[in-house]
Short mmCIF file of all heavy atoms in Angstrom, two decimals:
data_model
loop_
_atom_site.label_atom_id
_atom_site.label_comp_id
_atom_site.label_asym_id
_atom_site.label_seq_id
_atom_site.Cartn_x
_atom_site.Cartn_y
_atom_site.Cartn_z
N ASN A 209 3.83 6.16 -5.45
CA ASN A 209 3.68 6.48 -6.88
C ASN A 209 2.47 7.37 -7.15
O ASN A 209 1.92 7.37 -8.23
CB ASN A 209 3.52 5.19 -7.69
CG ASN A 209 4.86 4.59 -8.02
OD1 ASN A 209 5.85 5.31 -8.09
ND2 ASN A 209 4.89 3.29 -8.20
N PRO A 211 1.95 10.52 -7.88
CA PRO A 211 1.89 11.36 -9.09
C PRO A 211 1.44 10.58 -10.32
O PRO A 211 0.68 11.08 -11.13
CB PRO A 211 3.33 11.85 -9.27
CG PRO A 211 3.94 11.73 -7.93
CD PRO A 211 3.29 10.57 -7.27
N LEU A 212 1.90 9.33 -10.39
CA LEU A 212 1.51 8.50 -11.53
C LEU A 212 0.03 8.17 -11.49
O LEU A 212 -0.66 8.19 -12.50
CB LEU A 212 2.30 7.20 -11.54
CG LEU A 212 3.59 7.21 -12.34
CD1 LEU A 212 4.21 5.84 -12.34
CD2 LEU A 212 3.35 7.67 -13.77
N SER A 215 -1.85 11.24 -12.41
CA SER A 215 -1.72 11.43 -13.86
C SER A 215 -2.63 10.46 -14.62
O SER A 215 -3.31 10.85 -15.59
CB SER A 215 -0.26 11.22 -14.27
OG SER A 215 -0.13 11.37 -15.64
N PHE A 219 -5.67 11.42 -16.95
CA PHE A 219 -5.62 10.93 -18.33
C PHE A 219 -6.98 10.32 -18.72
O PHE A 219 -7.54 10.65 -19.76
CB PHE A 219 -4.49 9.89 -18.44
CG PHE A 219 -4.48 9.13 -19.73
CD1 PHE A 219 -4.10 9.76 -20.91
CD2 PHE A 219 -4.85 7.80 -19.77
CE1 PHE A 219 -4.10 9.06 -22.10
CE2 PHE A 219 -4.84 7.10 -20.96
CZ PHE A 219 -4.46 7.73 -22.13
N CYS A 222 -9.63 13.01 -18.97
CA CYS A 222 -9.49 13.79 -20.21
C CYS A 222 -10.00 12.99 -21.40
O CYS A 222 -10.64 13.55 -22.30
CB CYS A 222 -8.02 14.16 -20.44
SG CYS A 222 -7.50 15.51 -19.40
N LEU A 223 -9.72 11.68 -21.42
CA LEU A 223 -10.21 10.85 -22.53
C LEU A 223 -11.74 10.81 -22.54
O LEU A 223 -12.37 10.90 -23.59
CB LEU A 223 -9.67 9.43 -22.43
CG LEU A 223 -8.24 9.20 -22.90
CD1 LEU A 223 -7.92 7.72 -22.89
CD2 LEU A 223 -8.00 9.75 -24.29
N LEU A 225 -13.69 13.10 -21.28
CA LEU A 225 -14.11 14.45 -21.69
C LEU A 225 -14.03 14.59 -23.21
O LEU A 225 -14.95 15.10 -23.85
CB LEU A 225 -13.22 15.48 -21.01
CG LEU A 225 -13.58 16.95 -21.22
CD1 LEU A 225 -14.91 17.27 -20.57
CD2 LEU A 225 -12.50 17.85 -20.65
N ALA A 226 -12.92 14.10 -23.78
CA ALA A 226 -12.73 14.19 -25.25
C ALA A 226 -13.81 13.38 -25.96
O ALA A 226 -14.37 13.83 -26.96
CB ALA A 226 -11.34 13.70 -25.63
N THR A 229 -17.13 15.16 -25.84
CA THR A 229 -17.23 16.44 -26.56
C THR A 229 -16.95 16.31 -28.05
O THR A 229 -17.08 17.28 -28.78
CB THR A 229 -16.25 17.49 -25.98
OG1 THR A 229 -14.95 16.93 -25.95
CG2 THR A 229 -16.66 17.93 -24.60
N MET A 230 -16.53 15.12 -28.51
CA MET A 230 -16.16 15.02 -29.92
C MET A 230 -17.40 14.85 -30.80
O MET A 230 -18.47 14.48 -30.33
CB MET A 230 -15.18 13.89 -30.16
CG MET A 230 -15.72 12.51 -30.08
SD MET A 230 -14.36 11.35 -30.35
CE MET A 230 -15.26 9.84 -30.59
N GLY A 231 -17.23 15.15 -32.07
CA GLY A 231 -18.31 14.99 -33.03
C GLY A 231 -19.15 16.24 -33.17
O GLY A 231 -18.94 17.22 -32.47
N PHE A 242 -16.68 28.83 -21.75
CA PHE A 242 -15.23 28.70 -21.76
C PHE A 242 -14.65 29.13 -23.10
O PHE A 242 -13.70 29.90 -23.18
CB PHE A 242 -14.87 27.24 -21.45
CG PHE A 242 -13.40 27.00 -21.28
CD1 PHE A 242 -12.64 27.79 -20.43
CD2 PHE A 242 -12.78 25.95 -21.94
CE1 PHE A 242 -11.29 27.55 -20.26
CE2 PHE A 242 -11.43 25.71 -21.78
CZ PHE A 242 -10.69 26.51 -20.93
N ARG A 243 -15.28 28.66 -24.17
CA ARG A 243 -14.76 28.97 -25.50
C ARG A 243 -14.99 30.43 -25.87
O ARG A 243 -14.18 31.04 -26.54
CB ARG A 243 -15.39 28.03 -26.53
CG ARG A 243 -14.80 26.65 -26.39
CD ARG A 243 -15.26 25.67 -27.40
NE ARG A 243 -14.38 24.51 -27.36
CZ ARG A 243 -14.67 23.33 -27.85
NH1 ARG A 243 -15.80 23.12 -28.44
NH2 ARG A 243 -13.80 22.34 -27.78
N ALA A 246 -12.39 32.41 -24.26
CA ALA A 246 -11.07 32.21 -24.89
C ALA A 246 -10.97 32.89 -26.25
O ALA A 246 -9.87 33.10 -26.76
CB ALA A 246 -10.80 30.72 -25.04
N GLN A 250 -7.72 34.19 -28.72
CA GLN A 250 -7.41 33.59 -30.02
C GLN A 250 -7.34 34.65 -31.12
O GLN A 250 -6.47 34.61 -31.97
CB GLN A 250 -8.48 32.55 -30.35
CG GLN A 250 -8.06 31.67 -31.49
CD GLN A 250 -9.01 30.52 -31.67
OE1 GLN A 250 -10.11 30.52 -31.12
NE2 GLN A 250 -8.61 29.56 -32.44
N GLN A 257 0.06 36.99 -34.92
CA GLN A 257 0.75 36.14 -35.90
C GLN A 257 0.83 36.83 -37.26
O GLN A 257 1.86 36.84 -37.91
CB GLN A 257 0.00 34.81 -36.02
CG GLN A 257 0.70 33.82 -36.92
CD GLN A 257 -0.25 32.71 -37.35
OE1 GLN A 257 -1.43 32.75 -37.04
NE2 GLN A 257 0.27 31.76 -38.07
N ARG A 327 -7.08 27.39 -36.54
CA ARG A 327 -7.15 26.12 -37.26
C ARG A 327 -6.89 25.02 -36.24
O ARG A 327 -6.07 25.21 -35.34
CB ARG A 327 -6.08 26.13 -38.35
CG ARG A 327 -6.10 24.98 -39.28
CD ARG A 327 -5.14 25.21 -40.42
NE ARG A 327 -5.76 25.92 -41.51
CZ ARG A 327 -6.53 25.36 -42.45
NH1 ARG A 327 -6.78 24.09 -42.40
NH2 ARG A 327 -7.03 26.08 -43.42
N GLY A 328 -7.58 23.91 -36.35
CA GLY A 328 -7.41 22.81 -35.39
C GLY A 328 -5.97 22.33 -35.32
O GLY A 328 -5.31 22.24 -36.35
N THR A 329 -5.49 22.03 -34.10
CA THR A 329 -4.11 21.55 -33.99
C THR A 329 -3.98 20.09 -34.38
O THR A 329 -2.88 19.62 -34.60
CB THR A 329 -3.59 21.70 -32.54
OG1 THR A 329 -4.53 21.09 -31.66
CG2 THR A 329 -3.39 23.15 -32.17
N ASN A 330 -5.11 19.40 -34.46
CA ASN A 330 -5.07 18.00 -34.89
C ASN A 330 -5.00 17.96 -36.41
O ASN A 330 -5.93 18.38 -37.08
CB ASN A 330 -6.33 17.28 -34.40
CG ASN A 330 -6.33 15.81 -34.71
OD1 ASN A 330 -5.65 15.37 -35.64
ND2 ASN A 330 -7.09 15.05 -33.97
N TYR A 332 -5.36 15.70 -38.47
CA TYR A 332 -6.21 14.73 -39.16
C TYR A 332 -7.69 15.15 -39.18
O TYR A 332 -8.50 14.54 -39.86
CB TYR A 332 -6.08 13.36 -38.50
CG TYR A 332 -4.63 13.02 -38.24
CD1 TYR A 332 -4.12 13.02 -36.95
CD2 TYR A 332 -3.77 12.77 -39.30
CE1 TYR A 332 -2.77 12.76 -36.72
CE2 TYR A 332 -2.43 12.53 -39.08
CZ TYR A 332 -1.94 12.52 -37.79
OH TYR A 332 -0.62 12.28 -37.57
N ILE A 333 -8.04 16.15 -38.38
CA ILE A 333 -9.41 16.67 -38.37
C ILE A 333 -9.33 18.12 -38.80
O ILE A 333 -8.72 18.92 -38.11
CB ILE A 333 -10.03 16.61 -36.95
CG1 ILE A 333 -9.93 15.21 -36.37
CG2 ILE A 333 -11.47 17.10 -36.96
CD1 ILE A 333 -10.81 14.20 -37.00
N GLU A 364 -20.17 24.08 -34.74
CA GLU A 364 -20.39 24.52 -33.35
C GLU A 364 -20.41 26.03 -33.35
O GLU A 364 -19.73 26.66 -34.16
CB GLU A 364 -19.23 24.09 -32.45
CG GLU A 364 -19.07 22.61 -32.24
CD GLU A 364 -17.74 22.30 -31.58
OE1 GLU A 364 -17.48 22.83 -30.49
OE2 GLU A 364 -16.96 21.56 -32.17
N ARG A 371 -17.20 27.26 -35.19
CA ARG A 371 -16.23 26.29 -35.69
C ARG A 371 -16.80 25.65 -36.94
O ARG A 371 -17.97 25.31 -37.01
CB ARG A 371 -15.94 25.26 -34.62
CG ARG A 371 -14.65 24.53 -34.84
CD ARG A 371 -14.00 24.16 -33.54
NE ARG A 371 -13.41 25.33 -32.89
CZ ARG A 371 -13.25 25.43 -31.58
NH1 ARG A 371 -13.62 24.47 -30.81
NH2 ARG A 371 -12.72 26.51 -31.07
N ARG A 373 -16.53 22.68 -39.92
CA ARG A 373 -15.95 21.42 -40.39
C ARG A 373 -15.89 21.49 -41.90
O ARG A 373 -16.87 21.79 -42.56
CB ARG A 373 -16.80 20.23 -39.93
CG ARG A 373 -16.56 19.93 -38.46
CD ARG A 373 -17.44 18.84 -37.95
NE ARG A 373 -17.01 17.52 -38.35
CZ ARG A 373 -16.02 16.84 -37.78
NH1 ARG A 373 -15.34 17.39 -36.82
NH2 ARG A 373 -15.70 15.64 -38.19
N ASP A 378 -14.44 13.31 -43.13
CA ASP A 378 -15.11 12.11 -43.66
C ASP A 378 -16.62 12.15 -43.43
O ASP A 378 -17.37 11.53 -44.19
CB ASP A 378 -14.51 10.87 -42.97
CG ASP A 378 -14.80 9.61 -43.75
OD1 ASP A 378 -14.43 9.56 -44.93
OD2 ASP A 378 -15.43 8.70 -43.19
N THR B 213 -0.72 29.02 -33.06
CA THR B 213 -0.56 29.90 -34.22
C THR B 213 0.28 29.28 -35.32
O THR B 213 -0.21 29.02 -36.41
CB THR B 213 0.04 31.25 -33.79
OG1 THR B 213 1.24 30.99 -33.07
CG2 THR B 213 -0.90 32.03 -32.92
N GLY B 220 0.96 18.02 -39.77
CA GLY B 220 1.40 17.00 -38.84
C GLY B 220 2.88 17.00 -38.48
O GLY B 220 3.25 16.69 -37.36
N VAL B 239 7.37 15.98 -11.42
CA VAL B 239 6.30 15.43 -12.24
C VAL B 239 4.97 16.17 -12.01
O VAL B 239 4.15 16.31 -12.93
CB VAL B 239 6.16 13.91 -12.04
CG1 VAL B 239 5.61 13.59 -10.66
CG2 VAL B 239 5.27 13.29 -13.09
N ILE B 243 2.53 17.59 -14.88
CA ILE B 243 1.12 17.19 -15.01
C ILE B 243 0.24 18.43 -15.15
O ILE B 243 -0.64 18.49 -16.03
CB ILE B 243 0.68 16.34 -13.79
CG1 ILE B 243 1.34 14.96 -13.86
CG2 ILE B 243 -0.83 16.20 -13.72
CD1 ILE B 243 1.16 14.12 -12.61
N ILE B 253 -5.46 24.58 -25.47
CA ILE B 253 -5.28 24.35 -26.92
C ILE B 253 -6.56 23.77 -27.52
O ILE B 253 -7.03 24.22 -28.57
CB ILE B 253 -4.07 23.42 -27.19
CG1 ILE B 253 -2.78 24.19 -26.96
CG2 ILE B 253 -4.11 22.86 -28.61
CD1 ILE B 253 -1.53 23.39 -27.16
N ALA B 255 -9.62 23.96 -26.32
CA ALA B 255 -10.72 24.93 -26.25
C ALA B 255 -10.60 25.96 -27.36
O ALA B 255 -11.60 26.39 -27.93
CB ALA B 255 -10.71 25.62 -24.90
N LEU B 256 -9.37 26.34 -27.68
CA LEU B 256 -9.18 27.39 -28.68
C LEU B 256 -9.29 26.87 -30.11
O LEU B 256 -9.73 27.60 -30.99
CB LEU B 256 -7.83 28.07 -28.48
CG LEU B 256 -7.70 28.99 -27.28
CD1 LEU B 256 -6.28 29.50 -27.15
CD2 LEU B 256 -8.65 30.16 -27.40
N THR B 257 -8.86 25.65 -30.35
CA THR B 257 -8.73 25.28 -31.76
C THR B 257 -9.46 24.00 -32.16
O THR B 257 -9.69 23.83 -33.36
CB THR B 257 -7.24 25.08 -32.13
OG1 THR B 257 -6.72 24.01 -31.37
CG2 THR B 257 -6.43 26.33 -31.88
N ASN B 258 -9.78 23.12 -31.27
CA ASN B 258 -10.29 21.81 -31.70
C ASN B 258 -11.77 21.64 -31.39
O ASN B 258 -12.33 22.35 -30.58
CB ASN B 258 -9.48 20.69 -31.06
CG ASN B 258 -8.05 20.67 -31.58
OD1 ASN B 258 -7.83 20.90 -32.76
ND2 ASN B 258 -7.09 20.45 -30.71
N SER B 259 -12.36 20.64 -32.05
CA SER B 259 -13.79 20.41 -31.86
C SER B 259 -14.05 19.44 -30.71
O SER B 259 -15.12 18.89 -30.58
CB SER B 259 -14.41 19.89 -33.15
OG SER B 259 -13.72 18.75 -33.57
N TYR B 260 -13.06 19.19 -29.89
CA TYR B 260 -13.21 18.34 -28.71
C TYR B 260 -12.40 18.97 -27.58
O TYR B 260 -11.58 19.86 -27.83
CB TYR B 260 -12.70 16.92 -28.98
CG TYR B 260 -11.39 16.90 -29.68
CD1 TYR B 260 -10.22 17.24 -29.01
CD2 TYR B 260 -11.28 16.59 -31.03
CE1 TYR B 260 -9.00 17.25 -29.63
CE2 TYR B 260 -10.06 16.61 -31.68
CZ TYR B 260 -8.93 16.94 -30.98
OH TYR B 260 -7.72 16.98 -31.61
N LEU B 261 -12.62 18.52 -26.37
CA LEU B 261 -11.88 19.04 -25.22
C LEU B 261 -11.20 17.89 -24.50
O LEU B 261 -11.86 16.91 -24.16
CB LEU B 261 -12.84 19.71 -24.24
CG LEU B 261 -13.10 21.20 -24.32
CD1 LEU B 261 -14.09 21.61 -23.25
CD2 LEU B 261 -11.82 22.00 -24.17
N GLY B 262 -9.91 17.99 -24.28
CA GLY B 262 -9.25 17.02 -23.42
C GLY B 262 -8.28 16.07 -24.09
O GLY B 262 -7.44 15.47 -23.41
N ALA B 266 -4.82 14.77 -22.59
CA ALA B 266 -4.64 13.33 -22.30
C ALA B 266 -3.33 12.82 -22.90
O ALA B 266 -2.59 12.08 -22.23
CB ALA B 266 -5.82 12.55 -22.88
N SER B 273 3.74 10.76 -18.16
CA SER B 273 3.80 9.57 -17.30
C SER B 273 4.84 8.57 -17.81
O SER B 273 5.60 7.99 -17.02
CB SER B 273 2.44 8.88 -17.25
OG SER B 273 1.47 9.80 -16.85
N LEU B 277 8.16 7.40 -15.83
CA LEU B 277 8.50 6.00 -15.56
C LEU B 277 9.92 5.68 -16.02
O LEU B 277 10.62 4.88 -15.40
CB LEU B 277 7.51 5.08 -16.26
CG LEU B 277 6.17 4.86 -15.56
CD1 LEU B 277 5.25 4.06 -16.45
CD2 LEU B 277 6.38 4.15 -14.23
N ARG B 280 12.45 8.37 -13.77
CA ARG B 280 12.33 8.40 -12.30
C ARG B 280 13.08 9.60 -11.73
O ARG B 280 12.83 10.73 -12.12
CB ARG B 280 12.84 7.08 -11.70
CG ARG B 280 11.88 5.94 -11.91
CD ARG B 280 10.63 6.17 -11.11
NE ARG B 280 9.60 5.21 -11.48
CZ ARG B 280 8.66 4.80 -10.66
NH1 ARG B 280 8.63 5.24 -9.42
NH2 ARG B 280 7.75 3.97 -11.06
N ILE B 303 -3.09 7.55 -29.66
CA ILE B 303 -4.37 7.98 -29.09
C ILE B 303 -4.99 9.07 -29.95
O ILE B 303 -6.18 9.05 -30.24
CB ILE B 303 -4.17 8.47 -27.65
CG1 ILE B 303 -3.72 7.30 -26.80
CG2 ILE B 303 -5.45 9.05 -27.07
CD1 ILE B 303 -3.41 7.67 -25.40
N LEU B 305 -4.38 9.51 -33.09
CA LEU B 305 -4.78 8.87 -34.36
C LEU B 305 -6.12 8.15 -34.19
O LEU B 305 -7.00 8.26 -35.04
CB LEU B 305 -3.70 7.88 -34.82
CG LEU B 305 -2.36 8.50 -35.24
CD1 LEU B 305 -1.38 7.41 -35.65
CD2 LEU B 305 -2.54 9.47 -36.37
N TYR B 307 -8.56 8.64 -31.91
CA TYR B 307 -9.68 9.57 -31.74
C TYR B 307 -9.99 10.28 -33.06
O TYR B 307 -11.15 10.52 -33.37
CB TYR B 307 -9.35 10.60 -30.65
CG TYR B 307 -9.90 10.20 -29.30
CD1 TYR B 307 -9.35 9.14 -28.63
CD2 TYR B 307 -10.97 10.86 -28.73
CE1 TYR B 307 -9.85 8.75 -27.40
CE2 TYR B 307 -11.47 10.48 -27.50
CZ TYR B 307 -10.90 9.42 -26.84
OH TYR B 307 -11.41 9.04 -25.63
N SER B 308 -8.94 10.64 -33.80
CA SER B 308 -9.16 11.30 -35.09
C SER B 308 -9.90 10.37 -36.04
O SER B 308 -10.80 10.79 -36.76
CB SER B 308 -7.82 11.71 -35.71
OG SER B 308 -7.10 12.49 -34.81
N LEU B 311 -13.39 10.27 -35.19
CA LEU B 311 -14.05 11.52 -35.58
C LEU B 311 -14.20 11.64 -37.09
O LEU B 311 -14.72 12.62 -37.58
CB LEU B 311 -13.23 12.71 -35.09
CG LEU B 311 -13.54 13.20 -33.69
CD1 LEU B 311 -12.50 14.20 -33.23
CD2 LEU B 311 -14.91 13.85 -33.64
N GLY B 312 -13.69 10.65 -37.83
CA GLY B 312 -13.91 10.67 -39.27
C GLY B 312 -12.68 10.93 -40.11
O GLY B 312 -12.78 11.02 -41.33
N ALA B 313 -11.50 11.09 -39.48
CA ALA B 313 -10.30 11.32 -40.28
C ALA B 313 -9.90 10.01 -40.97
O ALA B 313 -10.10 8.93 -40.40
CB ALA B 313 -9.17 11.80 -39.39
N ARG B 314 -9.40 10.11 -42.17
CA ARG B 314 -8.93 8.92 -42.89
C ARG B 314 -7.47 9.14 -43.29
O ARG B 314 -7.14 10.17 -43.85
CB ARG B 314 -9.79 8.67 -44.13
CG ARG B 314 -11.22 8.28 -43.78
CD ARG B 314 -11.28 6.91 -43.08
NE ARG B 314 -12.62 6.58 -42.62
CZ ARG B 314 -13.07 6.79 -41.39
NH1 ARG B 314 -12.28 7.33 -40.48
NH2 ARG B 314 -14.29 6.46 -41.06
N THR B 320 1.44 7.69 -42.17
CA THR B 320 1.28 8.73 -41.15
C THR B 320 2.33 8.58 -40.06
O THR B 320 2.93 9.56 -39.61
CB THR B 320 -0.13 8.65 -40.53
OG1 THR B 320 -1.08 8.70 -41.59
CG2 THR B 320 -0.39 9.79 -39.59
N GLU B 324 4.70 11.63 -40.26
CA GLU B 324 4.28 12.65 -39.31
C GLU B 324 4.63 12.35 -37.86
O GLU B 324 5.22 13.18 -37.18
CB GLU B 324 2.77 12.87 -39.45
CG GLU B 324 2.44 13.52 -40.79
CD GLU B 324 0.97 13.72 -41.01
OE1 GLU B 324 0.18 13.42 -40.12
OE2 GLU B 324 0.62 14.18 -42.11
#
Side-chain angles (χ1 to χ4, degrees):
Chain A
N209 276 333
L212 268 184
S215 178
F219 170 72
C222 283
L223 281 187
L225 185 66
T229 52
M230 73 182 192
F242 186 50
R243 287 184 166 162
Q250 194 171 14
Q257 185 197 5
R327 186 171 272 279
T329 52
N330 184 336
Y332 314 109
I333 307 289
E364 293 169 57
R371 200 147 287 153
R373 283 176 77 79
D378 199 57
Chain B
T213 54
V239 70
I243 288 171
I253 286 179
L256 287 176
T257 63
N258 293 321
S259 55
Y260 46 73
L261 267 179
S273 305
L277 279 174
R280 286 292 170 152
I303 295 176
L305 293 179
Y307 265 70
S308 305
L311 272 170
R314 293 294 174 264
T320 306
E324 292 178 4

